[in-house]
């Protein structure tokens, strides 16, 4: 039994199969990232041992039950009723507008009205369909730092 000669038809068949497999792989990988649990970006009063990180704000600058938008860092920090702080990108995932406020438990984009959960970054009102990317933060000595 020998090797069959390569024909245009068999070469074309191989290319079609490779392109189809690549397309399916891309779609599966893209969908798989959305379903993977993202590590929490919550920081508590204990935080990890000091390891550097950039100072973002003092804890008292992040209102309990609200948040603050750091324009210079393009980060929004939110805080529940305790000392737990969450960090998210301050750039809306719909069309890249900067978010404008944290109000009523939501991070609000002024451009098209998208709303994101202040504790998770999840979309609670479109047109955005992707959550705000998390920014890992840590609370240390009464200040919030990048992790």
């Amino acid at each position: 039994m020998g090797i069959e000669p390569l024909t245009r038809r068999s070469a074309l068949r191989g290319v079609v199969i490779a392109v189809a497999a690549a397309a399916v792989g891309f779609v599966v990988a893209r969908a798989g990232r959305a379903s993977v649990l993202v590590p929490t970006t919550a920081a508590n009063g204990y935080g990890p041992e000091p390891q550097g990180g950039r100072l973002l704000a003092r804890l008292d600058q992040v209102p309990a039950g609200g948040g603050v938008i750091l324009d210079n860092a393009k980060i929004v920090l939110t805080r529940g009723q305790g000392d737990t702080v969450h960090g998210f990108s301050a750039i809306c995932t719909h069309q890249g507008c900067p978010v404008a406020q944290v109000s009523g438990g939501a991070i609000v984009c002024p451009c098209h009205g998208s709303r994101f959960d202040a504790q998770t970054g999840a979309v609670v009102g479109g047109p955005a369909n992707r959550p705000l990317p998390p920014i890992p933060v840590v609370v240390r000595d009464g200040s919030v730092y990048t992790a």
Side-chain angles (χ1 to χ4, degrees):
M1 186 192 264
I3 298 175
E4 294 182 29
L6 182 64
T7 65
R8 277 187 263 167
R9 181 173 289 186
S10 62
L12 181 60
R13 185 179 314 130
V15 169
V16 169
I17 290 171
V19 168
V24 169
F26 174 79
V27 170
V28 169
R30 179 95 173 170
R33 267 187 288 186
S35 65
V36 173
L37 292 176
V38 177
T40 182
T41 59
N44 60 36
Y46 302 104
E49 290 300 312
Q51 308 245 343
R54 184 173 54 152
L55 174 65
L56 297 173
R58 291 187 327 270
L59 184 60
D60 62 4
Q61 292 175 309
V62 184
V68 63
I69 298 165
L70 308 174
D71 293 327
N72 60 338
K74 295 184 175 44
I75 295 174
V76 59
L77 299 175
T78 63
R79 180 175 165 194
Q81 295 303 318
D83 289 346
T84 299
V85 175
H86 301 274
F88 303 99
S89 168
I91 304 301
C92 180
T93 57
H94 175 237
Q95 288 190 344
C97 293
V99 297
Q101 66 180 350
V102 180
S103 175
I107 301 165
V108 182
C109 178
C111 293
H112 301 103
S114 291
R115 298 172 55 84
F116 304 89
D117 184 281
Q119 299 303 304
T120 66
V123 176
V124 294
N129 60 10
R130 290 178 291 137
L132 291 175
I135 306 288
V137 297
V138 62
V139 175
R140 196 170 52 241
D141 299 323
S143 294
V144 183
Y145 297 86
T146 56

